[in-house]
Every structure is written in structure tokens, then in C-alpha cells.
Amino acid sequence: MTMEMKDSGSVVLTAYHPHSPARIPGMEQSFVQDVPPSHSPGSRKSFSRCRRINRMLSNESVPPAFSRSNSQASMDSTSMEDFWCEVESIKESREDGSEEAMLLEFKPADEGELEAEWLQDVGLSTLISGAEEEDGQALLSTLTRTQAAAVQKRYNTYTQTLRKKNKHTVRDVRDIFGTNDSSPTFETVPVSPVSSNGIQLPGQKPVWKSVSSKSCLDCGTDKGSPSITEELSYEVSFSESITVLPKTQEWPKNQRFKKEDSALPKFIVRKSRFGLTEVGDLSPEDMKKIRYLSLIELTAFYDALGVELKRNRVERVRGRENGLFGVPLTVLLENDQKKVPGIKVPLIFQKLLLKLEETGLETEGILRVPGSASRVKNLHQELEAKFYEDTFDWDQVRNNDAAGLLKMFIRELPSPLFTVEYLPAFITLVEKISKIKLQLQALHLLIMLMPEANRDTAKAFLQFLKKVVANEGKNKMNLWNVSMIVAPNLFIYKGKRANQQEMQAAATTAHIVRLLIRYQDILWTVPSFLISQVRKMNEAAMNNSKRQLMFDKGVRKLLRRKTMERERPERPEGAVTFPPYLQSDIPEGVIRVYAPLHSKVSMAIQLNSQTKAKDILARFHCENSHGSSQNVRGQIQSLHEIGGNIGQHCLDPDAFMLDVYRANPQAEWVIKPKAS
């Protein structure tokens, strides 16, 4: 039985009801015909089991395992064939011992424990301990109205629980935030658009440029596919924008979702005068603050939509401490960084991606057609023994076997790539939020929440998947096919209720992967309102530190002796030391740019309203075209903003420097290679 369902996101989807007794004519026959004759007996066995699953899905005797959600009501059973075949392939590889079965045990949460953990995870442990920590105060001072309400709600629940348990005296929220009203509220920053990657300047409005390939991020459907173009804004927090969200243009009422077309809305993120900031453009210290703010904002966002933000509490699982497969990403990277300093994606994962990109992108059915289970098992064992000795012969690896190893690596991670803690939040964003734009905003914040190692590895994987889809004409793998295959490897985790959960998550997780692949360039860009809040956090922390220093008599005496010296901010990691004659006072609107790797290491540049970061880079390149070493000339240089109210920030070449300078006048400006 098929149904048409129109979600509130204005997309009409085709749905298959899992309890219908109707059979799908020709489905089994067409499915068998897809099996290449060269398949091994094990592969034929897998396809046979896939047929049984498809029969099960159309069998009336199957009890309802889940209620239809927006995503689950959107796919017919024929569109799910790839998903269930991949599930069967995964089960078989676990049954024959190719993969280690490591079950994730979930911890029950006592009343109030989730709120306490949430407060700790957002950097507000001070509210639990009662200590006067400057970082917590600085964070609270930057919150928007909806963010503050989210914090207050969790803190109130936590304190009420403790009072019930009579554990100890709990500080009243009014004592913490200085309110006298019986309904305490946080003092929040005003909600107004902030300049991208900076602070709102008085009376200044964001300036938008005309759309071009360089002035915006353009993510959406392939050329020629029908779609609606919609602009995304990073200027106001997502949770605040829900209350003033304009009515979106509706899709045609009779439009049906087609897996072959995979038509998704086309989103554009225009660059403001501050440009755009990618995840790797900020220092680790500032990205830690982005993570705090992202969890607060995600919670506020779900609250504003009336959706519960669920999290898993999992017993920590210790993986292997050496080897390649089944090793935690952080441990694997620590081992790899001894060989290649600064590496961000595990070497084995990079090598598997490289192998497939070099020889497998045009292979028909790549990722979908399984390799030989016995060959993959033998290659797995051989890689463990020979990879770090550089004696492994990659020429012997067939493309489908390499794809099998790649998926095996992801599945055997002790904790899922997209972290088991927030897997319910990923599922919820599709099942409870119908509009694609709102799904994308929730997904964006979840990406900001990911640990650095997971986020970098996921990005490398999604870039590869994008290349697979780009070669659809030869490999016959479109966006929907790839999403179907990848979803069970990413989102079906190993637990006691795995069978039921995989049934529930089938179409939902495939849709998430589809969003991740299509909109990855947007999702790995840091929203500017979060960067603005980080700047304010840093400024508040600096002001608190200055006030604290004034109470130190020894420091006060030292300051008297130093009254004639210029006060300079604390030099962050990455800053460059220069001779005193280069550190003199600089007139307003003039910046001194340092380029320690060039023959001409310093240059004073007068800024005007049209000066961009790339103009400064071009000027240095021209001045140093003959004096710099060949190695420096071959590197991609970027202009960095260091210190002041930011740790370190690699600037977008299109950033207007006068605006950035006014947002952070205490910064230093350094030209150096961008971290890869």
C-alpha cells in the first residue's frame, strides 16, 4: 500500500506502509537480476536473505515496530532494498567473525543526572560546584534570550531534584544571576544581527553582495534538477530566528519525492563583509567554546520547536590501544601523529579513501556491490600486520574489497563516527522536524558538537562520497543509493535493541546521510553568531582577569613602574615575536602585517572600506616574489587574525579587513600557511 504524505516542509513524499499485506510486483525478480554473475556463493546468500527481508516488510503478520515518522512515511520498499541488503551484509560479517562484536551498554539516568551532565558539558560546572569560575561567568554573559532560557530550565530542574533528595543546600538561581523576581531570568545579550565572524558594529547593517561563485556557498541539487533556492542566515541564532521565521515558499502540492531525482532545496549562504569561517580556521581553544555554545543553542533550538533533545548515556568502551581496526580515533591519531605530525585523519582511513578515489570512483556499484567476504577478512588481517611497515601491496586490493574495508573501519570504531551520545538527536531532527531548513540547522549544530577527530574524519568521508555521487554516470550510484548503503554503517550501532532500532531508523538515517553529503560545505562552516559569542566570551574573560589583577598589590606596584609602557594583550599560541622597532604604535586604520616566512617580514598597510584579505596577500606576494624561498612560494598562504578577542582565526580571502580590524583592534595580523 502506498500513500502520499505532505509534510510541513512543503515536500510531498511517497510512503510505504510496513503492515500492508500487498506484495510489490516484480520486486524480487528485479532484485535478483541486479546480482552480477561473478558473485560468490556468500554474496548470493546475502541477496537471498535480502529478499526475505523485503517479504517481511510487506507481510501482514509482522507486528508494528514503530510509528510512521516524516521520513519513514516517505519511502517505498523498493527504495529501501540497498539499505536492507547492507544490513544483512553487516550481520553476516559479524557472524563469520570478520568483525569484533562490541556491545554498547546504556546507563540508566537518575533524576537530575542528565541536567547535571548537561551543565558540565556546556562549560557551566560552576553552577553545580558553586565555585566562582570566570569562564562560566563569561559564558553566561554572552547568552541570547532563548539560550539563557534553556540554561535556566536545566538548572531549575537540577536544583529542584536536589532539594527533593535533600542532598545538600542548593544555591538559588536568583542568587547566581542576581534577579529578585520570583520567576528568575538570565541577563542576556540583545538579540540583533551580528556581523559574520565578528561583533555588531554600532549602526552597521550586514552588507550583501550579488550572488556569484565567490560570494556565497551554493549547496543544493545538481545542475538541471528542479529545486527551490533559499538563503540561509548565520547572523542571528537559529533558536531566536524561529520566532520570526518568514513563511517559506511551498512546493507544488502534487510533487512526489523520487529516489532517482533526490531533489532537495538549494541553499545559499551569502558572504557578509567578514567572509565565512570553516571549522579548521579557529584555534582549538575557541572551538571548545564553540562546542559549549552549540550544545546550548541546540537545546534552545529544540525547546523552541517543542522537541525533546534526547541523549544516550553510554558506559565508556575501551577499544584496542594499537592496530588499525577497532581502535578509538583519538588513539589512532596519537599513534599516527608520531609518524606524520599534525595529521587530522587516520592514515589507514586516508589510504583507503585514496585507493578508491584513484581506481574505484567509476566502478559500477561501488559501495553497493559487496566484495568477497573471505578476501576482505584476509586483507584486514594483512593490513594489521603490514600497514605501518609499508610492506602492504595495495595493487592486490580490488575496488569492492577496498570499499568493504572502508565500511568495516567505520563500523568497528568503538564509538560511532557521529557519536552514540547524540544519535537520538540525529534521529529526532528528521522524525520530529519536518522542514528541511530546520533539519539542516539542527544538523549544523550537531556537527559543531562533534569531537575534533570525529568531525575531521567524517568530513574526509563525506568528501569522498560526494565524489562517488559526482561519477553517477559511470558507477550508477546516485545520492539516494549512496545514502542507503552508508546509513547502516554510520547509524546502526551495536546494542541490545539493535534489530528494532535499525527497523525504526532505516529511512530516517538514509535521509540524514543525504543531507550530510549534499550540504557538507554548509555544515562545516562555523555560524557567525557563534563566533561573535566566542569573541564576547574572550572579552569578558579578559576584563575579569584585568579586574582580578588590580587586587594584587604586587601587580599594582609593577604596573606603576610600567605606566609608560604600552599595554599589550597576552600573546596567544601561534603569535610571532618581533623586534621592538616593529612593535611601535600604529595609527588608526593602519595594520602591521607580519610574514615571518617571507624575505620581507613586515609591512604597514593602510586599510580602506574595500581592502580584502586577499589584497594584502597579493601585495606581499608581489613584494616577495623574488626574495622568498621556493618552498614558501609553493605553499598556500593565508592571513591570520591572532589575539585580542580571538585565539587564532584564519581569515576568508574575501573578508573586508577594515571591518575585521574594527571588530578586533587588539589583534595581530600574520601571514602563514593555513593548517591542513
Side-chain angles (χ1 to χ4, degrees):
M1 168 177 139
T2 59
M3 302 174 60
E4 280 193 1
M5 174 178 174
K6 181 179 178 181
D7 67 2
S8 57
S10 306
V11 183
V12 180
L13 305 176
T14 302
Y16 171 70
H17 197 292
H19 314 135
S20 170
R23 304 286 287 266
I24 299 178
M27 185 180 72
E28 293 180 19
Q29 182 179 358
S30 63
F31 195 70
V32 176
Q33 289 173 349
D34 288 337
V35 183
S38 59
H39 271 355
S40 64
S43 299
R44 287 193 294 272
K45 175 185 174 184
S46 176
F47 280 104
S48 177
R49 296 181 70 174
C50 288
R51 290 200 300 271
R52 291 201 302 273
I53 287 180
N54 282 312
R55 286 197 297 269
M56 177 189 71
L57 288 176
S58 60
N59 195 319
E60 190 177 22
S61 64
V62 178
F66 55 90
S67 60
R68 288 191 304 113
S69 66
N70 291 324
S71 175
Q72 290 157 352
S74 67
M75 314 299 169
D76 60 33
S77 66
T78 57
S79 70
M80 301 301 297
E81 290 171 3
D82 290 340
F83 184 96
W84 297 118
C85 286
E86 187 68 14
V87 169
E88 282 303 299
S89 177
I90 293 171
K91 288 181 178 178
E92 285 177 4
S93 90
R94 289 174 185 165
E95 289 169 0
D96 67 12
S98 300
E99 299 182 31
E100 298 179 8
M102 187 181 297
L103 295 181
L104 296 172
E105 297 294 335
F106 295 92
K107 297 188 294 183
D110 292 337
E111 193 175 8
E113 284 187 353
L114 289 177
E115 287 74 18
E117 290 181 1
W118 186 91
L119 290 169
Q120 291 175 339
D121 289 347
V122 300
L124 292 174
S125 57
T126 177
L127 299 185
I128 300 174
S129 65
E132 298 291 335
E133 297 180 11
E134 293 178 358
D135 288 346
Q137 294 175 356
L139 174 58
L140 289 172
S141 69
T142 71
L143 300 182
T144 66
R145 175 182 56 84
T146 51
Q147 291 171 353
V151 174
Q152 187 168 321
K153 179 180 178 181
R154 272 77 195 168
Y155 182 72
N156 284 343
T157 302
Y158 167 71
T159 55
Q160 290 168 9
T161 302
L162 285 191
R163 287 193 181 98
K164 289 178 182 178
K165 294 181 178 180
N166 295 319
K167 286 191 174 180
H168 55 78
T169 303
V170 182
R171 298 163 67 198
D172 192 278
V173 68
R174 289 168 289 186
D175 299 331
I176 297 173
F177 302 103
T179 58
N180 300 317
D181 176 287
S182 60
S183 242
T185 56
F186 295 88
E187 181 180 352
T188 64
V189 297
V191 181
S192 59
V194 291
S195 302
S196 299
N197 304 350
I199 297 173
Q200 175 69 34
L201 304 177
Q204 185 181 32
K205 296 181 179 179
V207 178
W208 304 114
K209 299 172 62 181
S210 59
V211 181
S212 70
S213 59
K214 295 183 180 180
S215 64
C216 66
L217 273 182
D218 186 351
C219 291
T221 55
D222 297 327
K223 294 181 180 179
S225 298
S227 64
I228 294 175
T229 300
E230 187 171 356
E231 184 174 313
L232 295 177
S233 173
Y234 288 163
E235 306 306 310
V236 181
S237 76
F238 299 153
S239 58
E240 293 287 345
S241 66
I242 290 174
T243 59
V244 295
L245 193 67
K247 292 182 179 179
T248 55
Q249 183 178 355
E250 292 192 356
W251 291 58
K253 292 185 178 180
N254 295 325
Q255 180 164 338
R256 295 167 59 93
F257 177 83
K258 297 180 180 179
K259 61 172 184 172
E260 295 82 5
D261 192 8
S262 303
L264 291 172
K266 182 176 182 181
F267 291 110
I268 291 178
V269 180
R270 298 177 188 265
K271 290 185 180 182
S272 73
R273 294 183 66 85
F274 285 81
L276 296 173
T277 300
E278 298 176 2
V279 167
D281 292 342
L282 293 174
S283 65
E285 294 78 13
D286 285 340
M287 280 306 302
K288 183 178 180 181
K289 295 167 187 173
I290 291 287
R291 194 167 189 267
Y292 291 157
L293 290 162
S294 295
L295 180 51
I296 295 175
E297 172 63 15
L298 180 69
T299 307
F301 184 76
Y302 275 54
D303 285 352
L305 292 170
V307 176
E308 181 183 1
L309 177 60
K310 296 181 180 180
R311 300 166 66 190
N312 283 328
R313 300 178 78 244
V314 184
E315 296 283 0
R316 294 194 176 274
V317 180
R318 289 194 62 183
R320 300 167 56 196
E321 295 185 358
N322 50 60
L324 301 175
F325 294 77
V327 181
L329 282 176
T330 51
V331 175
L332 198 54
L333 283 171
E334 286 175 6
N335 296 336
D336 287 351
Q337 285 167 355
K338 296 174 184 177
K339 299 179 177 293
V340 184
I343 193 171
K344 293 186 175 182
V345 178
L347 289 172
I348 179 61
F349 196 69
Q350 288 191 46
K351 187 60 183 178
L352 287 168
L353 293 177
L354 181 62
K355 166 68 178 177
L356 287 167
E357 288 179 9
E358 288 179 343
T359 63
L361 289 179
E362 297 182 358
T363 301
E364 184 170 341
I366 192 65
L367 296 175
R368 180 180 62 212
V369 178
S372 164
S374 59
R375 283 200 309 266
V376 170
K377 184 177 181 179
N378 292 335
L379 289 170
H380 173 196
Q381 296 172 349
E382 192 176 346
L383 275 169
E384 291 282 7
K386 298 181 178 180
F387 179 75
Y388 284 122
E389 298 177 358
D390 294 328
T391 58
F392 183 79
D393 181 14
W394 286 97
D395 292 335
Q396 68 171 320
V397 182
R398 303 182 187 184
N399 293 327
N400 292 330
D401 294 342
L405 289 167
L406 180 69
K407 292 184 289 185
M408 180 186 290
F409 176 89
I410 293 172
R411 292 195 303 269
E412 286 199 7
L413 289 173
S415 180
L417 188 59
F418 285 96
T419 67
V420 69
E421 182 182 10
Y422 290 105
L423 283 181
F426 278 97
I427 303 301
T428 300
L429 76 88
V430 175
E431 294 187 339
K432 302 295 184 182
I433 304 173
S434 56
K435 290 185 178 180
I436 299 289
K437 179 178 179 180
L438 297 179
Q439 292 176 2
L440 190 61
Q441 289 175 327
L443 190 57
H444 200 161
L445 294 170
L446 283 166
I447 297 300
M448 294 298 108
L449 273 175
M450 290 175 65
E452 183 180 4
N454 295 59
R455 190 170 50 225
D456 290 338
T457 304
K459 177 60 173 174
F461 185 47
L462 292 172
Q463 287 174 333
F464 163 71
L465 296 180
K466 189 175 182 179
K467 294 175 183 177
V468 172
V469 175
N471 284 272
E472 174 190 350
K474 294 184 178 179
N475 60 35
K476 310 302 181 186
M477 295 293 292
N478 59 28
L479 179 61
W480 182 243
N481 296 142
V482 173
S483 301
M484 282 285 96
I485 296 299
V486 171
N489 291 280
L490 286 176
F491 289 106
I492 292 183
Y493 47 94
K494 292 161 277 188
K496 292 181 179 178
R497 296 171 296 167
N499 289 336
Q500 181 181 356
Q501 287 167 339
E502 69 191 22
M503 290 287 292
Q504 293 174 337
T508 299
T509 54
H511 179 64
I512 294 170
V513 175
R514 199 159 53 116
L515 296 180
L516 286 167
I517 298 172
R518 180 67 75 193
Y519 302 119
Q520 58 184 276
D521 291 337
I522 289 177
L523 296 173
W524 264 258
T525 301
V526 185
S528 58
F529 69 85
L530 293 179
I531 299 177
S532 176
Q533 289 184 274
V534 168
R535 289 187 186 276
K536 291 172 184 174
M537 279 185 66
N538 291 337
E539 287 179 347
M542 288 166 57
N543 292 335
N544 289 338
S545 297
K546 289 178 181 178
R547 284 194 294 268
Q548 185 64 33
L549 286 174
M550 295 308 295
F551 290 99
D552 190 322
K553 294 181 180 180
V555 173
R556 199 180 308 164
K557 291 179 182 179
L558 178 62
L559 288 176
R560 288 197 196 102
R561 296 197 301 268
K562 299 288 186 179
T563 51
M564 300 305 294
E565 295 184 10
R566 176 172 179 256
E567 182 183 355
R568 296 181 62 86
E570 182 180 352
R571 299 178 64 80
E573 183 180 354
V576 187
T577 303
F578 296 96
Y581 71 88
L582 292 179
Q583 300 178 5
S584 58
D585 290 330
I586 301 175
E588 175 73 18
V590 176
I591 63 172
R592 181 166 292 280
V593 181
Y594 304 109
L597 299 180
H598 288 74
S599 56
K600 187 169 184 176
V601 298
S602 173
M603 188 184 301
I605 295 178
Q606 174 69 57
L607 302 177
N608 59 49
S609 61
Q610 298 303 312
T611 306
K612 294 184 178 182
K614 64 183 179 183
D615 298 329
I616 295 175
L617 293 169
R619 183 169 174 181
F620 263 86
H621 179 75
C622 181
E623 294 280 348
N624 293 278
S625 57
H626 300 294
S628 299
S629 67
Q630 185 67 33
N631 186 41
V632 172
R633 289 198 296 270
Q635 293 177 328
I636 299 176
Q637 303 284 310
S638 298
L639 181 59
H640 291 72
E641 169 194 7
I642 300 177
N645 58 30
I646 205 76
Q648 183 165 306
H649 181 197
C650 180
L651 295 173
D652 187 323
D654 289 324
F656 288 87
M657 290 304 301
L658 190 58
D659 298 79
V660 182
Y661 165 75
R662 287 173 176 166
N664 190 9
Q666 298 298 319
E668 293 180 349
W669 314 95
V670 180
I671 295 176
K672 60 180 183 176
K674 180 177 180 177
S676 58

